Amino acid sequence: MVGLQKQVYMSILRKELPRLIALSSGASGQQSLQNIVIQLRKACSHPYLFPGIEPEPYEEGEHLVQASGKMIVLDQLLRRLHKTGHRVLLFAQMTHTLDILQDFLELRRYSYERLDGSIRAEERFAAIRSFSERPSADSGACQGDAFVFLISTRAGGVGLNLVAADTVIFFEQDWNPQVDKQALQRTHRIGQSNHVLSINLVTARTIEEVIMRRAERKLLLSQNVVGDDVTEQDGNGTEIRAGDLRSIMFGLQMFDLTEAHEESGESKMSELEALAENVISMRQGNGKNDRKFEINSGNLSSRREVDIGKSASVGLEADFDETSYLSWVEKFKELGQSSGDLDEHVRSKRVTLHPEDKNVNVESAIKKAKEKKLLKWESLGYRSLSVEEPALPVDGDVTSDSGSVHFVYGDCTQPSKVCPSEPAIIFSCVDNSGKWGHGGMFNALANLSPTIIDAYERAAEFGDLHLGDLHLVKIQDAEQNGNGDYTWWVALAVVQSYNPRRKIPRSNISIPDLEICLSKASFSAAQNSASIHMPRIGYRDESNHSEWYAVERLLRKYAAIYGIKIYIYYYRRSVPS
């Protein structure tokens, strides 16, 4: 783990301290304990899985790699595999993790395909077909073909033939070893002519190591009882009982409870390079199949062959003595009592961060200019519908799982068909020209209410149409349209610039401005207990899918922060006869 991961891991445990203490005293709370385990697993994979951790505004950069120990190792592995012409299946449990991995592949400019539960059937078949195509003799391996296939374990566990890959990397492990085993079999099919290397990335001394050891026990039990050829068809193996609290506490003695120090990247880089080289070299010279080795940064010079029957217990239960367990509970109690004072100290520092007079003067000037503009608009009879940018809650619950994103078929300008008798915000992208467009969403919104076009054109007339602005137009005649007595709004997000001198006057969607507008729309939806309805933005069948996945990541982020529902609409096209 790197420093940021340690901070997130420890902050989760600090926050859940009251429930941990209650569970340690024998209180029943299986569901509560499961939630803590899920959050700890996220911290082990990547801290950006929690809303608000990543830098704002978000831009792809080296911070994406340096924030996670797993990502640093993965970077070294893929660099060597790409150089030597291998092709990789990269599995993860959560689609959010796939989003981060996709950003990483975009950063390193690796070609890839992606498959998860949200991918439609035609896209799935196209991705498999693209990855399975053999590179031409004169193009070289991995030139013009997908180097990595990103797959969620559950979506890609059954029914695929991906023998074009000869390396399988599990970024996250499943509680049920048979699920990972099924996923690995995607490369062991007729037509596979290479040795397949399987790599599991596990964060040592954390809940992930507990999951790995328990998976080995289950696999051993399956082999002893029913043989190696039988695969479990059900059971996720995710049950956590109150008696398993010590599994959460496993490895905490490796951390500093008060502060997580950043490790020197330069001092560790040579060890990480040696680790990656050691792993890659295991493809040759094994002598027999299905041999398992464990390699970690503390033992790079040798490879320890794993006997599942022994490794499942050695090194895990030895650390779970009762005395050590109780002492850690006492340390957490002391830490919980002092955490409130620490948070108050941080808040007081934040208030006095910039006390210089010049900053105060600048803010005062901006405030006066804004007041003058509002007075002018008021005298001319104009009232701005632009939404102020909300301040994200400093003390917000970054581990909250509330809020959700749903994919549906239909027309997003008719949200009553999905959410009858509920307030709704229809989200649409516009440019800063002040000229209403034609076709598609423009026609649908024009048919919905004439006040929408009027509000947009008046905003342009009074100079109130800038990139990043979100104009929230209340539809007054919703009841007359037969939509009930509840309220709808249309959120016009100004995320495209317009220049008539360009060959294509309207620019592409600006992702930073889109994020600002999504933040405003999500805040407004939370304030009005409404859901957001919008078309699939930034996606075309002919273009790269990366833009849409960046948008989807923002949607999930703000749905989680504000605890709202966001509906993404696919337009069902009529099939020509």
Side-chain angles (χ1 to χ4, degrees), residues 4-156:
L4 181 58
Q5 277 184 295
K6 291 181 182 179
Q7 291 176 6
V8 175
Y9 199 90
M10 295 304 299
S11 67
I12 294 170
L13 290 172
R14 289 192 188 103
K15 180 178 178 180
E16 303 293 346
L17 176 62
R19 280 191 282 181
L20 289 173
I21 295 174
L23 290 169
S24 68
S25 62
S28 176
Q30 175 178 333
Q31 188 65 33
S32 174
L33 195 55
Q34 284 185 6
N35 183 62
I36 298 173
V37 171
I38 292 172
Q39 306 308 323
L40 293 177
R41 293 190 68 183
K42 289 182 181 179
C44 291
S45 293
H46 204 291
Y48 289 2
L49 289 170
F50 300 97
I53 299 295
E54 58 205 24
E56 300 290 351
Y58 179 80
E59 294 181 1
E60 292 179 1
E62 287 300 320
H63 63 88
L64 185 69
V65 180
Q66 299 302 321
S68 168
K70 279 189 182 183
M71 196 70 82
I72 295 174
V73 175
L74 179 66
D75 187 26
Q76 295 290 333
L77 291 172
L78 292 184
R79 187 176 302 172
R80 285 162 173 76
L81 290 168
H82 187 267
K83 184 178 180 180
T84 52
H86 296 286
R87 303 178 76 185
V88 180
L89 301 186
L90 183 52
F91 285 96
Q93 291 287 308
M94 298 174 283
T95 55
H96 289 36
T97 307
L98 292 180
D99 295 339
I100 294 177
L101 291 173
Q102 182 167 345
D103 287 345
F104 162 71
L105 295 177
E106 289 285 344
L107 177 67
R108 292 291 184 255
R109 300 187 181 279
Y110 292 139
S111 56
Y112 64 90
E113 294 290 346
R114 171 168 169 162
L115 189 154
D116 58 53
S118 67
I119 303 298
R120 295 184 293 178
E122 56 267 28
E123 297 175 17
R124 175 188 295 250
F125 297 144
I128 296 172
R129 184 167 56 251
S130 173
F131 186 82
S132 299
E133 290 178 355
R134 296 287 183 178
S136 59
D138 57 346
S139 64
C142 297
Q143 298 296 324
D145 298 275
F147 165 52
V148 178
F149 204 139
L150 286 174
I151 314 178
S152 61
T153 309
R154 297 283 173 169

Side-chain angles (χ1 to χ4, degrees), residues 56-58 510-519 554 557-558:
E56 300 290 351
Y58 179 80
S510 168
I511 297 299
D513 292 317
L514 177 63
E515 179 170 10
I516 295 173
C517 292
L518 286 174
S519 174
L554 294 177
K557 170 183 174 179
Y558 288 106

Side-chain angles (χ1 to χ4, degrees), residues 2 33 98 119 121 125 188 203 219 233 285 287 302 344 367 389 416 434 483 519 523 548 551:
V2 296
L33 195 55
L98 292 180
I119 303 298
F125 297 144
H188 288 288
T203 305
L219 193 58
Q233 297 298 328
S302 62
E344 191 63 35
K367 184 177 180 181
E389 186 171 359
S416 59
N483 296 319
S519 174
F523 175 76
W548 161 246
V551 174

Side-chain angles (χ1 to χ4, degrees), residues 489-552:
W489 294 265
V490 171
L492 299 178
V494 186
V495 294
Q496 294 172 282
S497 62
Y498 185 90
N499 187 344
R501 297 181 180 180
R502 291 195 294 247
K503 184 176 181 180
I504 302 178
R506 184 178 290 109
S507 70
N508 292 329
I509 291 175
S510 168
I511 297 299
D513 292 317
L514 177 63
E515 179 170 10
I516 295 173
C517 292
L518 286 174
S519 174
K520 295 176 181 179
S522 300
F523 175 76
S524 300
Q527 293 293 101
N528 294 284
S529 301
S531 54
I532 294 179
H533 302 256
M534 59 191 297
R536 195 177 187 187
I537 297 174
Y539 175 82
R540 298 183 182 88
D541 291 335
E542 299 84 5
S543 67
N544 197 315
H545 297 176
S546 60
E547 186 177 355
W548 161 246
Y549 289 121
V551 174
E552 183 183 13

